[in-house]
């Protein structure tokens, strides 16, 4: 099975997961009641798989789908303000075909990049429990294993994602230093040929207050992309 088929099969299994009762109840309740602004929409209401290139050399790891974002649209970081910031930045540095991510049929393509999360269901208050994080970890480990032949860099958005990603990377075969490296914006750790980068999460709390600016996000993404070997291609797209 090639990488595209293997990732598609993994994504299909993820979307059928019912392992965490609290998250199943929440995601389905949100999909039934809906937000007033989306009252006429049909929500995805299931676990949200990763999105992007099957041969990605750069992986972006978030936290979990938003209740009215990914849980509504079925794509990571899609349909909410956090996604607006992330995909605009990816477009700005030449890693995405367009600056917006609206729904599954909008034609968005990522270049050498895949976006995922350590928790695939929308959690109440955007806060998965440690048990839910750990229950979901095997999905991330499998995704990392499938991407390993091409993966060269990982950008982790936020401390929760960082804490979840490190044991997943270790389980997928990379050697993680002890003690585990601390999260910080601009943190960089080398792991057996894989470069791990920390970046503040693209949450409204960070972007509205200026804790994370578009320029800061672009800088991390650009550095990670160059490290992953995407530099010349993205520069060519960026300067067209």
């Amino acid at each position: 099975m090639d990488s595209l088929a293997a990732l598609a099969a993994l994504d299909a299994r993820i979307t059928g997961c019912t392992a965490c009762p609290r998250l199943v109840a929440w995601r389905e309740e949100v999909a039934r009641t809906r937000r007033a602004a989306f009252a006429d929409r049909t929500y995805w209401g299931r676990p949200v798989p990763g999105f992007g290139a099957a041969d990605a050399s750069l992986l972006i790891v978030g936290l979990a789908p938003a209740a009215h974002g990914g849980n509504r649209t079925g794509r990571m970081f899609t349909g909410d303000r956090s996604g607006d910031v992330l995909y605009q930045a990816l477009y700005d540095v030449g890693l995405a075909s367009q600056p917006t991510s609206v729904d599954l049929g909008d034609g968005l393509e990522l270049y050498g990049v895949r976006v995922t999360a350590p928790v695939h269901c929308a959690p109440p208050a955007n806060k998965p429990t440690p048990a839910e994080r750990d229950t979901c970890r095997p999905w991330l480990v499998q995704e990392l294993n499938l991407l390993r032949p091409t993966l060269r860099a990982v950008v982790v958005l936020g401390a929760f994602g960082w804490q979840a990603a490190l044991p997943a990377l270790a389980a997928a075969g990379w050697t993680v230093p002890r003690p585990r490296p601390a999260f910080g914006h601009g943190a960089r750790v080398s792991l057996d040929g894989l470069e791990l980068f920390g970046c503040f999460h693209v949450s409204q709390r960070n972007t509205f207050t200026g804790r994370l600016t578009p320029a800061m996000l672009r800088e991390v993404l650009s550095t990670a992309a160059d490290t992953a070997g995407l530099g010349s291609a993205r520069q060519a797209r960026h300067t067209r």
Side-chain angles (χ1 to χ4, degrees):
M1 185 182 296
D2 63 26
S3 59
L4 180 61
L7 269 174
L10 175 65
D11 291 345
R13 293 198 302 274
I14 287 172
T15 61
C17 184
T18 58
C20 299
R22 186 182 80 114
L23 299 187
V24 171
W26 173 253
R27 77 189 191 213
E28 293 180 354
E29 174 64 17
V30 170
R32 279 193 302 271
T33 58
R34 301 188 293 275
R35 178 175 282 172
F38 307 119
D40 61 341
R41 310 288 178 85
T42 298
Y43 274 51
W44 175 262
R46 289 177 280 161
V48 181
F51 165 67
D55 59 350
S57 56
L58 171 59
L59 181 67
I60 298 173
V61 179
L63 190 164
H68 303 282
N71 188 57
R72 174 174 62 86
T73 63
R75 182 193 285 163
M76 288 288 179
F77 285 105
T78 297
D80 61 14
R81 294 288 183 85
S82 296
D84 293 345
V85 172
L86 177 61
Y87 288 111
Q88 178 70 60
L90 286 169
Y91 175 77
D92 287 345
V93 300
L95 296 174
S97 63
Q98 60 193 45
T100 57
S101 181
V102 179
D103 56 47
L104 292 175
D106 63 10
L108 173 64
E109 182 182 356
L110 301 184
Y111 304 127
V113 178
R114 186 169 171 88
V115 180
T116 193
V119 175
H120 287 275
C121 291
N126 291 320
K127 293 182 179 179
T129 67
E132 290 162 350
R133 174 201 64 200
D134 295 346
T135 298
C136 212
R137 181 178 299 146
W139 295 126
L140 181 55
V141 174
Q142 292 179 62
E143 191 170 15
L144 287 166
N145 279 325
L146 291 174
L147 293 172
R148 182 158 191 149
T150 57
L151 192 61
R152 298 295 176 265
V154 177
V155 172
V156 182
L157 303 174
F160 181 96
W162 184 269
Q163 293 161 4
L166 290 175
L169 287 161
W174 281 278
T175 301
V176 176
R178 291 284 188 173
R180 287 179 179 167
F183 172 77
H185 183 82
R188 180 171 179 173
V189 182
S190 297
L191 308 173
D192 304 329
L194 182 74
E195 292 296 304
L196 180 66
F197 296 85
C199 179
F200 290 144
H201 196 278
V202 289
S203 66
Q204 292 185 47
R205 180 169 55 186
N206 286 337
T207 58
F208 283 11
T209 61
R211 187 175 190 231
L212 177 67
T213 65
M216 291 166 65
L217 179 58
R218 289 194 300 267
E219 181 178 9
V220 173
L221 293 174
S222 295
T223 302
D226 290 347
T227 302
L230 298 172
S232 58
R234 75 175 184 84
Q235 286 294 340
R237 284 188 290 267
H238 185 55
T239 55
R240 281 177 189 169

